[in-house]
Amino acid sequence: MPKGRAGPHKFSLSHPQTPKLSYGYSSKMNIGKSGYRVFSANSTSACSELAKIITEAVICCRFPSFTETRVEVKESVRGQDIFIIQTMPRDVNTAIMELLVMAYALKTSCAKNIIGVIPYFPYSKQCKMRKRGSIVCKLLASMLAKAGLTHIITMDLHQKEIQGFFSFPVDNLRASPFLLQYIQEEIPDYRNAIIVAKSPSAAKRAQAYAERLRLGLAVIHGEAQCSESDMADGRHSPPAFRPSCGPAGLELPFMMAKEKPPITVVGDVGGRIAIIIDDIIDDVEDFVAAAEILKERGAYKIFVMATHGLLSAEAPHLIEESHIDEVVVTNTVPHELQKLQCPKIKTVDVSMILAEAIRRIHNGESMAYLFRNVTVDD
């Protein structure tokens, strides 16, 4: 990125009964209308840490816990490209509201473009209809557009089709080059490894890793796994038999209920290093169960690799007590506390690609370089 200079704080966050605190300012291309600025949201110190790595000049403070967020732009941003870096801490809803208020404040201050840098896009698992629920990810996309965002930089969306929810451009970067590099440099004898998908739904992503590393592929399938697609459609939510619902004489074909086979590992993992690949690690029960199965089948070392390490609830304790030897995630989500609780958790830095994306978008350069050799399934 071009060298920036530290300057005065640009945002203030206040409450009628609390002293004003400030949002961070990172770098400025030039004083003219073609310049850009990078702001860090104030939700957690980890957000400012990621922003600092990306811009190398961020000043940011935490804001206290109160009920309202107030943003004031203290310097002209008219005609500027504004990048808002927002990671998602445990309090996701507060972080989202903070992002919306910041974006709207910049919009009303006549910023030229407002680009959200959201490494982990929240509510991405709620991208399909489940029973009588809602597609919350689509709602969030509409809210961001209404608030004033004109572009989003994110990483490894849970489903690639989520990009269709937005009315503005979305750059969905990939963490796979960094995780592949980690495998090659940090896992001794990785040539004796096998890539594992913990469920059939994760097989495409695992296959992409296996093909790049020239390794074999194994898939865990069976009754211990709970496929996300089992409840995604929502059309099975009414009772299976309601004779009073249809007109007289209407008989629909009988649909047999799903019944999963006994748990099976498709592929030979005996005497191999098993590397489980996924995009999100949140509740780790499925990964712990998969590790037990792989250990029973003869795998002598087990790694889990994913882009987003949410690691909710008792995840660090469960990982520490499991057969998993190491969990490798990127720094798209703050997880420093979890690392203190479990030394098995390792972090891969992906700030480099985020910084390059910011530079290219501001300069109007092609993003193709960041997607070289990347397939749809990565």
Side-chain angles (χ1 to χ4, degrees):
M1 286 186 65
K3 291 183 179 179
R5 62 175 180 83
H9 301 308
K10 301 304 177 190
F11 274 119
S12 71
L13 178 68
S14 63
H15 185 266
Q17 283 131 5
T18 57
K20 289 189 175 182
L21 299 176
S22 26
Y23 278 94
Y25 165 80
S26 63
S27 61
K28 183 161 61 176
M29 190 82 168
N30 52 54
I31 303 301
K33 289 188 177 181
S34 62
Y36 78 91
R37 291 177 173 85
V38 182
F39 293 96
S40 166
N42 247 8
S43 52
T44 62
S45 59
C47 179
S48 61
E49 286 300 319
L50 179 60
K52 186 174 182 180
I53 296 172
I54 293 173
T55 63
E56 299 182 351
V58 170
I59 304 171
C60 185
C61 303
R62 293 191 185 196
F63 67 89
S65 56
F66 46 73
T67 55
E68 295 183 1
T69 300
R70 179 181 298 171
V71 171
E72 179 185 351
V73 183
K74 290 192 169 182
E75 183 174 317
S76 174
V77 294
R78 184 180 297 272
Q80 302 284 322
D81 290 337
I82 305 298
F83 295 85
I84 305 174
I85 299 175
Q86 178 65 300
T87 58
M88 292 298 154
R90 292 290 167 264
D91 191 358
V92 175
N93 296 328
T94 298
I96 291 172
M97 193 62 200
E98 181 183 286
L99 177 62
L100 292 171
V101 174
M102 288 179 70
Y104 190 67
L106 292 164
K107 176 184 176 182
T108 54
S109 298
C110 300
K112 180 181 178 182
N113 295 303
I114 305 170
I115 300 97
V117 184
I118 312 172
Y120 169 66
F121 193 78
Y123 289 100
S124 59
K125 284 190 173 183
Q126 297 190 48
C127 61
K128 297 179 181 178
M129 180 65 74
R130 288 187 173 89
K131 295 189 178 180
R132 295 180 179 86
S134 61
I135 306 176
V136 182
C137 192
K138 174 70 167 65
L139 171 64
L140 181 55
S142 301
M143 291 168 64
L144 292 173
K146 192 69 175 176
L149 263 70
T150 58
H151 197 139
I152 276 183
I153 303 171
T154 187
M155 182 167 283
D156 282 340
L157 288 170
H158 187 55
Q159 298 288 342
K160 309 297 186 297
E161 294 79 8
I162 290 174
Q163 295 175 78
F165 292 163
F166 294 87
S167 58
F168 50 78
V170 176
D171 284 310
N172 182 28
L173 304 176
R174 306 295 199 275
S176 54
F178 299 91
L179 295 176
L180 289 167
Q181 183 181 28
Y182 185 94
I183 293 173
Q184 292 172 317
E185 295 180 356
E186 302 296 332
I187 299 181
D189 195 23
Y190 81 92
R191 290 291 182 188
N192 187 38
I194 186 168
I195 304 298
V196 180
K198 72 177 179 66
S199 64
S201 61
K204 284 188 176 181
R205 185 184 301 271
Q207 182 182 1
Y209 277 71
E211 290 174 351
R212 293 201 185 317
L213 294 168
R214 295 358 180 222
L215 299 176
L217 176 67
V219 180
I220 299 175
H221 176 57
E223 60 186 9
Q225 302 300 320
C226 180
S227 175
E228 193 174 310
S229 61
D230 288 348
M231 357 184 270
D233 192 286
R235 280 171 258 190
H236 66 288
S237 56
F241 180 65
R242 295 176 66 182
S244 61
C245 286
L250 176 64
E251 293 186 9
L252 297 176
F254 177 72
M255 179 66 74
M256 294 183 64
K258 284 186 177 181
E259 185 175 340
K260 293 187 178 181
I263 194 161
T264 307
V265 178
V266 182
D268 182 18
V269 299
R272 313 283 284 278
I273 300 172
I275 304 176
I276 303 174
I277 300 294
D278 214 333
D279 62 328
I280 299 173
I281 301 179
D282 191 358
D283 297 322
V284 299
E285 285 85 354
D286 287 348
F287 293 94
V288 171
E292 291 179 2
I293 295 297
L294 293 170
K295 204 72 173 179
E296 290 174 4
R297 299 295 193 277
Y300 73 90
K301 214 166 189 182
I302 300 167
F303 290 79
V304 176
M305 309 198 77
T307 304
H308 310 295
L310 306 186
L311 302 170
S312 301
E314 296 296 318
H317 174 72
L318 294 174
I319 292 170
E320 186 66 26
E321 299 297 323
S322 72
H323 293 293
I324 298 172
D325 292 282
E326 197 168 284
V327 173
V328 182
V329 294
T330 71
N331 56 343
T332 56
V333 177
H335 54 265
E336 293 306 313
L337 179 61
Q338 288 84 346
K339 287 179 68 176
L340 293 175
Q341 296 172 346
C342 177
K344 292 183 179 181
I345 300 171
K346 309 296 181 183
T347 306
V348 175
D349 180 28
V350 294
S351 60
M352 179 193 307
I353 194 171
L354 295 171
E356 181 63 14
I358 291 173
R359 188 191 70 80
R360 286 175 176 269
I361 288 173
H362 172 69
N363 292 333
E365 299 177 20
S366 171
M367 299 285 284
Y369 177 75
L370 303 183
F371 293 93
R372 69 192 189 284
N373 300 324
V374 169
T375 65
V376 176
D377 295 328
D378 280 349

